[in-house]
Structures are given as C-alpha cells and as structure tokens.
Amino acid sequence: MLRSLVGSEMCIRDRYQRRVRDPSLVNMPFTLYYHTACTGFYGRGWAPLAMLKHAKAEHDIKEPQDAPEGSGFAPPMVGFPEGHTIAQTNAICAAVGRAVGLAPESAADQAKADQLVADAGDVTGEVFGGKPAERLNKWLEYLAGNLKEDGFFLESGLSYADFAIVPLLKVIAGKQSKGNLEGVVVPEPLLKWEERMGALDGVAELNATGISILPDSML
C-alpha cells in the first residue's frame, strides 16, 4: 500500500512539473481566495489548498475581497495560472485536480470523480442540516463502499475525489468533539482511508498547522 501511495505522489508531481516547464501554460501562481485567507479556519478552501500543496504547485492565499470582480457569488474562489478565476467548491475541486495532475484519465473515472465530489457536498449539507444519524450513517456506508482495492476512491488511484471527501470527515470529527452528531459512526474503511490521506505531504502539512476545518461556532 505504501508503494502505491508513493507511486501515486511521484506520478502526480511529475505531471504537474511537466506542465510548469511549459511557459505557455503557467503565467502566474494559483490563488485561493477564502475567509481569513485560511489563517483562522480552512472550511471549503481545504480541498483545493491540499491539492495545491500536494502537487507542490506555486500558490497564494488571499481574502475573498481580493478576488477579481465577477469571479463568483461566494468563496472559495481559485485563480488559475492562465488568468481565469472560478468559484463553487465542486467545480474548483475538479478544475484544480485537472490542473495539477490529480484527475483520472478515462471519461468514466472523471464522471465518477465528479459524482463523488457532489456526494461529499450533499452529505456535508445534510450534516449541517441536522439530518438524523441513521441517514448520515447510510451516506457514510455508501461512501465506504466506493473505496477501491488500492485504498482510494477510483480504480485509477489518488484523485481530486479523495481530497474533496476528506473535509467531510474533518467536519464530522470536529462536531463530535463538541458533543454533536450523536449516533453517527464513521465506518472503519473510511477511517483507514483518512489515515492514509493524512500521510500525503500536502495533507500532513495542513494538519500540522493546527488550523481547524471550521470555527468553533460552526461545530
């Protein structure tokens, strides 16, 4: 498993570095625009930031008010090296994933990755919407059932889908640390997958900062 993990990291970084060496593709750093510039909490900025750090992509982090006018309705927003800026968490995860070598190659896997990103967003919404533990547990069992033999969510290996799902588990853990979400049980396969993700350089770097996924008032 460790060999698979290391191999995935090296492949991803090689794809991104080939992109960096082409000056026609990279004119400036990526820029993540999010609340507190991610100094107070990571929130929905976690997944794109973790991917950028994992790929060792040059990036800046700024406040939402610094984003180009018309970039989107609400943060996060991400500016790309080619000069465009987009919003909407799901779209950002897929676009950053493609840009840094974390997108699957087949159309089927890309479609599945997009579905899983949307699934993560739906579950997170239901967590904040106060849905009962029984329903949340069904969601979590469903996600666990999508893990593949190599330990990631796609047969092709590590992808932006994996990074998009991590914040969900962080939110659940954070809420449970405050005595909330009683009866919600994260399946063991998901916990092992989260541990595996935590071993990635970019994820480990964010974890080491001690910055929470959300402020206490939202947990």
Side-chain angles (χ1 to χ4, degrees):
M1 185 62 67
L2 179 60
R3 183 180 301 173
S4 173
L5 184 62
V6 172
S8 294
E9 288 198 72
M10 293 178 63
C11 180
I12 288 160
R13 289 171 186 170
D14 180 62
R15 275 182 276 172
Y16 178 69
Q17 290 302 320
R18 286 201 302 269
R19 174 187 173 87
V20 168
R21 286 194 293 269
D22 184 344
S24 70
L25 294 177
V26 180
N27 303 314
M28 55 184 152
F30 291 87
T31 304
L32 170 64
Y33 302 94
Y34 197 65
H35 303 298
T36 77
C38 290
T39 60
F41 66 98
Y42 288 124
R44 290 174 293 165
W46 190 95
L49 182 56
M51 284 191 279
L52 292 171
K53 288 186 174 295
H54 176 71
K56 300 195 181 308
E58 186 179 357
H59 63 278
D60 296 325
I61 310 173
K62 298 182 179 182
E63 297 271 4
Q65 61 266 29
D66 295 325
E69 185 176 355
S71 298
F73 181 74
M77 300 150 184
V78 170
F80 289 76
E82 296 83 0
H84 59 283
T85 303
I86 65 170
Q88 288 289 353
T89 307
N90 293 3
I92 286 171
C93 285
V96 170
R98 288 192 295 270
V100 301
L102 281 162
E105 295 184 0
S106 75
D109 272 358
Q110 287 184 30
K112 189 63 177 180
D114 289 345
Q115 177 202 319
L116 288 165
V117 172
D119 286 337
D122 285 350
V123 188
T124 303
E126 295 200 2
V127 167
F128 285 106
K131 294 294 184 179
E134 180 181 7
R135 179 172 173 83
L136 297 178
N137 286 338
K138 285 182 178 179
W139 263 118
L140 294 171
E141 290 289 350
Y142 155 77
L143 288 174
N146 276 271
L147 285 166
K148 307 305 181 188
E149 289 186 5
D150 69 352
F152 299 111
F153 276 96
L154 296 178
E155 295 285 1
S156 53
L158 180 67
S159 75
Y160 59 82
D162 293 281
F163 285 87
I165 294 170
V166 171
L168 167 64
L169 298 194
K170 290 185 175 294
V171 167
I172 290 173
K175 282 185 167 291
Q176 290 184 327
S177 74
K178 302 297 183 182
N180 299 314
L181 298 184
E182 183 178 357
V184 173
V185 179
V186 178
E188 187 65 23
L190 279 181
L191 292 175
K192 290 182 178 179
W193 163 83
E194 184 181 24
E195 182 179 359
R196 187 177 302 114
M197 290 295 293
L200 299 175
D201 288 346
V203 177
E205 182 179 344
L206 293 188
N207 288 344
T209 65
I211 297 174
S212 176
I213 189 69
L214 290 172
D216 285 351
S217 61
M218 297 183 68
L219 294 173

